[in-house]
Amino acid sequence: MKTIGLLGGMSWESTALYYKKINEEIKEQLGGLHSAKIVLYSVDFEEIEKLQHLGKWDETAKILSNAAKNLENASADFIVICTNTMHKVASIIEQNINIPILHIANATGKKLQEEGIKKVGLLGTAFTMNQEFYKDTISNNFDIEVIVPNDDDIQIIHKIIYEQLCLGIIKEESKKQYLRIMQKLHNQGAEGIILGCTEIGMLICQEDTNIKLFDTTHIHALEAVKEALK
C-alpha cells in the first residue's frame, strides 16, 4: 500500500472527512483491521484565507509548497490537497516536489465522464467559480461544459462557505439557498452539480435533491484509495 500525503487544514472540518472516508474505503476493500497509510500536514487556515482574499496566491503557494515538501520528506508517495480552491496553485506546488499531486478536478472530471455528463453546474468558493483554473481542467480534459451561478448567487455561496461551513456551522436556511441555486443551474441545462468545495457536503447530500450530485471530497478520497492500492 502506498502512503497518502494529506495536505489539509483548509478547513480542518473537511480534512477530517477525507481521513474518515479514506479509512472507511480501505477497510471496505481490504477488510480486517486494515487502515490507510497516511501522513497529514495541516496548515493554519486563517493565514491562507487572508492571503486568498488579498489575491496573494504566490504566498499561499509558498506555504503549501513547504508543507508538501514536509509530506514528501515524511515518505508520502503522492499528495492529496484537501481543498478545491487551492488547486489554483497545484502546478506551482508540483514544481517544488518530486512526488505527484492527485488533482481533485481530474478525479471529478473522470467521474463525470463515467456518468455520461456533458453539462454540469459548479458550486464552490468565488475563486473556484469565477476563475478558470478549475473549470478549464474539466472542460479541456473531459469535454464537459461547466456553468456557474450568477454573481449574486456566487456571493451567497461564498459567504456561507467561509462564514458558516468552514466553522462547522450548518443552517437550514443556507441549505435552502443552495438548493434554490442548484435548481436554477439545473433549469439552465446542468445534468448534475459539482459540490466543488470540500465543505459543501456537510450541508447538502444526495437525499436533499433529485439532481445528480458530485461530492468532490468523496470522489477525491476514493481516487486516493485507488492510487494507494495500485
Side-chain angles (χ1 to χ4, degrees), residues 5 7 61-73 76-81 89-102:
L7 181 41
K62 287 179 185 176
I63 293 169
L64 297 189
S65 292
N66 286 333
K69 287 176 191 174
N70 282 321
L71 288 171
E72 182 178 8
N73 291 338
D77 292 300
F78 63 95
I79 289 176
V80 172
I81 305 172
V89 297
S91 61
I92 299 173
I93 299 169
E94 279 187 313
Q95 292 169 19
N96 290 284
I97 56 177
N98 299 301
I99 56 175
I101 291 173
L102 196 67

Side-chain angles (χ1 to χ4, degrees), residues 49-124:
E49 181 271 333
K50 285 180 178 176
L51 293 172
Q52 287 176 338
H53 285 93
L54 289 171
K56 296 183 177 181
W57 297 100
D58 287 346
E59 292 187 34
T60 67
K62 287 179 185 176
I63 293 169
L64 297 189
S65 292
N66 286 333
K69 287 176 191 174
N70 282 321
L71 288 171
E72 182 178 8
N73 291 338
S75 300
D77 292 300
F78 63 95
I79 289 176
V80 172
I81 305 172
C82 303
T83 163
N84 286 270
T85 299
M86 294 316 299
H87 280 75
K88 176 178 173 66
V89 297
S91 61
I92 299 173
I93 299 169
E94 279 187 313
Q95 292 169 19
N96 290 284
I97 56 177
N98 299 301
I99 56 175
I101 291 173
L102 196 67
H103 201 291
I104 196 169
N106 280 326
T108 301
K110 191 188 303 183
K111 181 65 175 176
L112 291 166
Q113 200 170 61
E114 288 171 1
E115 296 285 333
I117 300 294
K118 286 296 182 182
K119 185 174 183 177
V120 69
L122 172 64
L123 304 186

